[in-house]
């Protein structure tokens, strides 16, 4: 294996942090990044001086605010969240349930906003969390509107299972994606937890392409999909308009 470049080593240090490991000692960073202690010490020093990392009084390192400032420039991150937030809040007020906004990154969905609802439904979500596309409502929307070649590759690939009801049959997944495109919403039931149901709709960019998805997650028992679907679609259209999308006017 070729030796890591300087950039690769810096990225390895940053990549040592995740949601399960938000605070790391120098030894932890060295081990998780696969670097010598001397190299890890030198790189964490440089990253701390720049502001990408912060070191507390006990000597433990955390991700620094400078990275948050840089992340705020991402059009699919905080910029999208700021435009979408009024519509997400409206959806929350209409349902008082868990409301989510997500984007696609490769074969995964990444959550960029989450408003926690009143119900105790099992939701394994936090901002920045990732799940396979086929296992969530927002993921099904994003997959349904992805490039057809990518869709076929995804459906043919390994499909992780989280409950006995997770969509793992390629043929069924293809039919589900077709229904999402037809109905304009995705209904994901018992895919990650057996007590939850989500209804999701697309968010379009100025050019009409699907750039994100919005959803509401409710307890499966007593879920009223016919009432939830219009509210979620309305939120998706509102965010889309805020992003500059204008639906084509029907010809007279």
């Amino acid at each position: 294996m070729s030796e890591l470049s300087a950039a690769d080593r810096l990225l390895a240090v940053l990549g040592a942090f995740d949601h399960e490991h938000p605070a790391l000692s120098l030894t932890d960073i060295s081990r998780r990044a696969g670097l010598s202690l001397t190299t890890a010490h030198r790189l964490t020093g440089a990253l701390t001086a720049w502001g990408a990392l912060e070191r507390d009084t006990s000597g433990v390192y955390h991700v620094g605010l400078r990275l948050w400032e840089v992340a705020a420039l991402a059009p699919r991150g905080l910029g999208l969240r700021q435009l979408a937030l009024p519509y997400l809040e409206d959806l929350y007020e209409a349902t008082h349930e868990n409301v989510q906004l997500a984007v696609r990154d490769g074969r995964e969905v990444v959550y960029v906003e989450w408003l926690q609802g009143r119900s105790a439904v099992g939701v394994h979500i936090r901002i920045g969390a990732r799940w396979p596309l086929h296992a969530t409502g927002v993921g099904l929307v994003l997959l349904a509107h992805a490039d057809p070649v990518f869709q076929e590759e995804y459906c043919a690939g390994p499909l992780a299972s989280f409950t006995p009801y997770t969509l793992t049959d390629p043929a069924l997944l293809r039919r589900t994606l077709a229904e999402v495109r037809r109905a304009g919403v995705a209904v994901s039931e018992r895919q990650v937890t057996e007590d939850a149901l989500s209804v999701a709709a697309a968010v379009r960019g100025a050019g009409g392409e699907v750039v994100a998805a919005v959803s509401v997650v409710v307890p499966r028992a007593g879920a009223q999909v016919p009432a939830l679907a219009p509210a979620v679609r309305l939120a998706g259209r509102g965010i889309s308009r805020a992003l500059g999308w204008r639906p084509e006017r029907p010809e007279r």
Side-chain angles (χ1 to χ4, degrees):
M1 182 180 296
S2 60
E3 185 178 349
L4 292 176
S5 68
D8 289 334
R9 289 194 291 270
L10 279 170
L11 292 173
V13 171
L14 294 176
F17 295 85
D18 57 27
H19 285 284
E20 284 70 43
H21 304 86
L24 297 172
S25 68
L26 182 61
T27 301
D28 292 333
I29 293 172
S30 171
R31 176 178 52 81
R32 288 179 55 80
L35 301 171
S36 69
L37 197 59
T38 300
T39 299
H41 181 268
R42 176 171 54 81
L43 296 177
T44 53
L47 290 168
T48 301
W50 187 77
L53 297 179
E54 296 177 358
R55 186 172 182 266
D56 64 24
T57 55
S58 67
V60 171
Y61 291 88
H62 308 260
V63 172
L65 286 176
R66 186 73 180 273
L67 286 185
W68 179 264
E69 295 172 9
V70 173
L73 302 175
R76 294 200 303 156
L78 294 179
L80 171 62
R81 172 191 174 277
Q82 289 170 352
L83 288 173
L85 194 54
Y87 303 95
L88 301 178
E89 291 173 341
D90 286 347
L91 181 57
Y92 173 81
E93 288 301 323
T95 63
H96 293 290
E97 297 289 357
N98 296 280
V99 172
Q100 304 165 345
L101 180 69
V103 298
R104 181 171 76 87
D105 185 22
R107 298 175 59 87
E108 297 177 314
V109 60
V110 181
Y111 291 87
V112 296
E113 183 55 282
W114 170 47
L115 303 182
Q116 186 172 8
R118 296 177 181 176
S119 67
V121 63
V123 179
H124 296 273
I125 297 301
R126 56 181 175 270
I127 296 176
R130 293 171 175 265
W131 283 92
L133 291 169
H134 67 281
T136 67
V138 286
L140 288 173
V141 168
L142 294 166
L143 182 57
H145 293 282
D147 177 84
V149 174
F150 173 81
Q151 284 184 40
E152 187 55 36
E153 290 175 351
Y154 188 98
C155 291
L159 300 173
S161 178
F162 303 97
T163 75
Y165 308 97
T166 305
L167 275 171
T168 56
D169 178 73
L172 178 57
L173 179 56
R174 292 185 186 98
R175 291 196 298 270
T176 300
L177 297 178
E179 176 61 18
V180 171
R181 290 188 293 270
R182 185 200 67 80
V185 293
V187 178
S188 178
E189 185 175 357
R190 299 189 289 181
Q191 296 292 298
V192 175
T193 63
E194 295 190 32
D195 63 342
L197 177 147
S198 72
V199 181
V203 172
R204 296 183 181 274
E209 71 284 6
V210 172
V211 296
V214 58
S215 73
V216 61
V217 181
V218 303
R220 174 178 172 269
Q224 300 294 322
V225 174
L228 293 171
V232 177
R233 275 196 296 258
L234 182 62
R237 288 175 68 88
I239 300 169
S240 300
R241 287 180 176 275
L243 292 172
W245 175 71
R246 296 295 180 267
E248 295 182 3
R249 295 180 180 178
E251 296 182 358
R252 295 184 177 180

